[in-house]
Amino acid sequence: MSFRSGLSATTSVVLLLLIASLSFLPISALAAEPKLRFGSNGEFKILQVADMHFADGKSTPCLDVLPSQVKGCSDLNTSAFIHRMILAEKPNLIVFTGDNIYGSDATDAAKSLNAAFAPAIASNIPWAAVLGNHDQESTLSREGVMKHIVGLNNTLSQVNPPEAKSIDGFGNYNLEVGGVKGSSFENKSALNLYFLDSGDYSTVPSIPGYGWIKASQQFWFERTSSKLKVTSLTVIFNEKLLSILNFNEFIALQQAYVSKPQPQKGPAPGLAYFHIPLPEYARFDESNFIGVKMEKGISSASVNSGFFSTMVGAGDVKAVFTGHDHLNDFCGKLADIHLCYAGGFGYHAYGKAGWSRRARVVVATLEKLEEGGWGGIKSIRTWKRLDDQRLTTIDSQELWSS
């Protein structure tokens, strides 16, 4: 690659650093049209379903419900709840955050997975899933479960990112959400979604307890976050300068992110989804969160792998959403990142009699421009819905605002 004499040494160094940070990505990945995008109302809505614990369907009994609810209560109540939530909220994406099936009670893992995700598949709404600590305890390995999920209809789940040659776990990937169809942000990444495999149980004999997000996953997250931020930083270079480089990746990025009529002003906000909560979830008490904390403790890994610090350093993640602790549904802010539980969803999962199963909804809203178009994200809000007669909405709060 040659640079014309008009290019300063400082600019050349910056460009070389940007190029190096992008070199691990295929051109097609940089220029591809987003599979997800904001609706014509300027909103993108995500329904989070945590801990379905689906087993064998109608024959699987409910746990921790009122005596009046026991008769006839089964996995089918979980399916009915998903169906009701889809009709009520009409989400753009459904995210399942692990323990999708309760492996030890599932006779056939493939059949249980098919049934568990059936309401999402039937809705024709895109959906994504990560694994929990119970998904692999039936007739499929952890890798086998993720491969089966990826083969189901309407899913955007991935076994692992194609650009990562070696990475721990199964189900590490990211999805970019483009702007409104026909708007100036149509093919720009307005919202980035990170999905990670938080593991099941520790494989280190001297470390008891649950698994954690490993160094290889954090490295992939950092590189992905850097790539997404670089696409915004390239706005400092004009189209003529980019053409001087004759570098296909930069041309693709310039076209997708910083071209007219509406250049992207900064990195898109990010949301992260995985199953097991981080140790930092234990930093909250009743004075600094919205929701409830009824578990005796936070069931995180017994070691802190540093992923929270990694996200803080990256700077783009605004909120994290997990499951695992069914009786916690709170959401609190730490170092400018909201750490949120969804609360228990499934009826074959432990709960508390009289405490309704629940789901979390997140909505990102774009800025309405004076000329009538749509800009970047203006705000990100969340609330929960209870599986009662009215699907009661509770604990509405703003997570982030531009």
Side-chain angles (χ1 to χ4, degrees):
M1 181 185 298
S2 62
F3 294 88
R4 295 186 181 178
S5 57
L7 216 59
S8 71
T10 301
T11 302
S12 299
V13 170
V14 172
L15 289 170
L16 286 172
L17 290 173
L18 292 174
I19 291 169
S21 69
L22 293 169
S23 60
F24 71 100
L25 287 170
I27 295 174
S28 58
L30 298 173
E33 181 178 345
K35 295 180 180 179
L36 297 170
R37 65 174 64 258
F38 279 74
S40 58
N41 62 350
E43 291 187 349
F44 188 83
K45 183 181 290 186
I46 302 171
L47 167 63
Q48 181 189 359
V49 176
D51 299 273
M52 286 191 291
H53 279 232
F54 205 95
D56 285 345
K58 188 176 181 179
S59 63
T60 302
C62 295
L63 302 180
D64 298 328
V65 294
L66 295 171
S68 60
Q69 297 174 305
V70 172
K71 186 178 180 180
C73 190
S74 71
D75 280 334
L76 300 188
N77 290 64
T78 301
S79 299
F81 186 21
I82 298 174
H83 181 66
R84 294 179 72 207
M85 285 297 303
I86 290 172
L87 292 178
E89 292 288 359
K90 298 178 177 60
N92 302 98
L93 177 69
I94 306 167
V95 174
F96 297 90
T97 50
D99 281 1
N100 307 295
I101 62 173
Y102 191 63
S104 59
D105 288 344
T107 305
D108 184 312
K111 289 182 179 180
S112 293
L113 289 165
N114 294 345
F117 296 119
I121 295 170
S123 72
N124 286 321
I125 295 172
W127 59 276
V130 294
L131 301 182
N133 54 293
H134 291 302
D135 289 288
Q136 76 291 338
E137 295 172 346
S138 181
T139 56
L140 288 174
S141 66
R142 196 167 182 81
E143 181 179 11
V145 169
M146 200 66 213
K147 285 183 175 179
H148 185 85
I149 289 173
V150 169
L152 296 176
N153 290 335
N154 301 326
T155 189
L156 299 179
S157 306
Q158 299 174 30
V159 175
N160 270 326
E163 72 273 9
K165 302 301 180 184
S166 178
I167 189 169
D168 286 280
F170 304 98
N172 303 284
Y173 55 101
N174 79 292
L175 298 173
E176 298 180 46
V177 184
V180 177
K181 186 74 173 179
S183 73
S184 55
F185 271 78
E186 177 177 355
N187 292 324
K188 303 175 191 295
S189 180
L191 178 68
N192 297 316
L193 307 176
Y194 299 99
F195 302 88
L196 295 105
D197 181 4
S198 54
D200 47 15
Y201 303 97
S202 172
T203 57
V204 181
S206 59
I207 301 176
Y210 293 108
W212 56 86
I213 295 172
K214 307 295 197 302
S216 63
Q217 297 167 279
Q218 297 187 49
F219 179 65
W220 164 78
F221 165 81
E222 287 181 306
R223 298 195 75 173
T224 303
S225 175
S226 295
K227 183 267 294 187
L228 295 169
K229 283 186 288 187
V230 164
T231 60
S232 297
L233 289 173
T234 54
V235 75
I236 65 175
F237 305 111
N238 61 34
E239 188 170 335
K240 182 177 180 181
L241 183 58
L242 290 171
S243 66
I244 291 173
L245 295 176
N246 192 28
F247 190 72
N248 289 337
E249 277 92 340
F250 264 78
I251 293 175
L253 286 170
Q254 188 268 344
Q255 290 174 345
Y257 291 93
V258 302
S259 60
K260 294 179 180 180
Q262 185 66 44
Q264 193 158 318
K265 297 177 182 179
L271 305 176
Y273 288 89
F274 45 90
H275 181 70
I276 298 174
L278 301 171
E280 282 78 8
Y281 274 69
R283 300 274 292 274
F284 300 107
D285 56 41
E286 285 74 6
S287 68
N288 57 6
F289 66 68
I290 294 177
V292 298
K293 182 180 182 183
M294 293 195 296
E295 302 276 357
K296 293 181 179 179
I298 299 299
S299 299
S300 62
S302 58
V303 297
N304 192 329
S305 68
F307 185 54
F308 181 77
S309 297
T310 297
M311 288 189 292
V312 171
D316 59 333
V317 172
K318 308 306 178 186
V320 174
F321 303 95
T322 65
H324 193 54
D325 292 338
H326 307 175
L327 297 180
N328 290 342
D329 72 353
F330 67 81
C331 195
K333 188 177 182 181
L334 181 66
D336 291 328
I337 297 177
H338 274 87
L339 301 178
C340 302
Y341 280 107
F345 189 101
Y347 278 86
H348 188 55
Y350 78 83
K352 182 178 180 181
W355 196 67
S356 299
R357 265 59 175 185
R358 56 205 58 214
R360 182 173 289 281
V361 178
V362 176
V363 175
T365 304
L366 298 177
E367 178 185 7
K368 187 70 172 178
L369 303 178
E370 291 183 2
E371 57 271 25
W374 298 101
I377 291 182
K378 180 180 180 180
S379 66
I380 300 174
R381 296 174 293 118
T382 187
W383 58 84
K384 299 186 294 288
R385 286 239 197 183
L386 307 181
D387 190 19
D388 56 18
Q389 287 186 336
R390 298 182 178 181
L391 285 178
T392 303
T393 299
I394 63 170
D395 297 340
S396 179
Q397 65 184 110
E398 184 176 80
L399 298 177
W400 180 81
S401 173
S402 60

